[in-house]
Amino acid sequence: MKFFIDSANVEAIRKAHERGMVDGVTTNPSLVAKEGRDFRTVVDEIASFVKGPISLEVVSEDAEGMLKEARELNSWIDNAAIKVPMTWEGLRAVKICADEGIQTNVTLVFSPNQALLAAKAGATFVSPFIGRLDDVGQVGMEVIEGTAQIYANYGFETEIIVASIRHPIHVYEAALIGADIATIPPNVLDKMVHHPLTDVGIKRFLDDWKKVPKK
Ligand code: G3P
């Protein structure tokens, strides 16, 4: 299972990278806005140490505008994956990007049928938003199950990125299903390492070690 970091915070991404947890990065306009920094500068900094795919999102709503942005963003770094929204215009842009060898990530996906369309258009990645579905009372992980089954049925090569992850159980469930990638916010990654029994166990071992006679 690959881990992407769902963040535009360079220091958080660097920390996760140093821990061997970064196979790629996903950004979106909200995450970039949160940092209050120039987008290009942030992207260059991330790309200086992350060699896996870095998702950069377009903001145009028509295919021509998306393509113009996609070509520009793709020229910035060697490992861009252009994030395109799940609309007919977006899918039209994805098809042309696929023909031009530009990696794409179809975002704002909320149903297996949308994921099927993304794969048909030739998307490199598809990003179903699990947490936002849970928020409205729909079981987000069912979209991952359905999409994974459909892709397996037909041998689609589009990789599933489980996105809008809110807590460690989302990562666990995604891993049980066998999703290709989880894009994990830094705070969720931090939570995954902790277990109270680990802390208690370390303390007990260290306390006992003090009792071992030393020459
Ligand atoms: O990268 C997009 C996605 O992960 C957004 O998550 O928490 O804004 O629903 P969230």
Side-chain angles (χ1 to χ4, degrees), residues 6 26-28 31 83 107 129 132 163-166 183:
D6 199 24
T26 51
T27 67
N28 64 38
L31 291 171
K83 238 175 164 181
T107 189
F129 276 27
R132 291 192 196 184
S164 187
I165 282 178
R166 299 279 164 74
T183 190

Side-chain angles (χ1 to χ4, degrees), residues 44-123:
D44 284 341
E45 285 179 19
I46 297 171
S48 69
F49 60 94
V50 173
K51 298 305 162 200
I54 301 173
S55 285
L56 309 175
E57 190 156 342
V58 299
V59 289
S60 296
E61 293 185 73
D62 62 304
E64 282 67 32
M66 290 179 196
L67 280 167
K68 192 162 174 274
E69 283 185 69
R71 291 176 185 127
E72 167 69 16
L73 293 170
N74 193 55
S75 75
W76 288 3
I77 53 174
D78 292 336
N79 45 343
I82 307 304
K83 238 175 164 181
V84 172
M86 177 65 225
T87 59
W88 283 125
E89 287 298 288
L91 294 179
R92 201 152 69 80
V94 165
K95 175 165 174 16
I96 296 169
C97 282
D99 292 343
E100 293 183 11
I102 298 175
Q103 295 195 101
T104 52
N105 174 0
V106 177
T107 189
L108 292 164
V109 166
F110 294 96
S111 75
N113 270 346
Q114 288 182 323
L116 174 57
L117 296 179
K120 290 289 292 176

Side-chain angles (χ1 to χ4, degrees), residues 1-2 6 10 20 25 28 45 47 62 65 69 75-76 91 110 112 123 141 143 160 165 188 191 197 205 209:
M1 185 186 207
K2 284 177 272 190
D6 199 24
V10 178
V25 168
N28 64 38
E45 285 179 19
D62 62 304
E69 283 185 69
S75 75
W76 288 3
L91 294 179
F110 294 96
M141 211 49 77
V143 175
I160 302 171
I165 282 178
V188 174
K191 284 181 190 164
L197 290 179
F205 283 151
W209 188 246

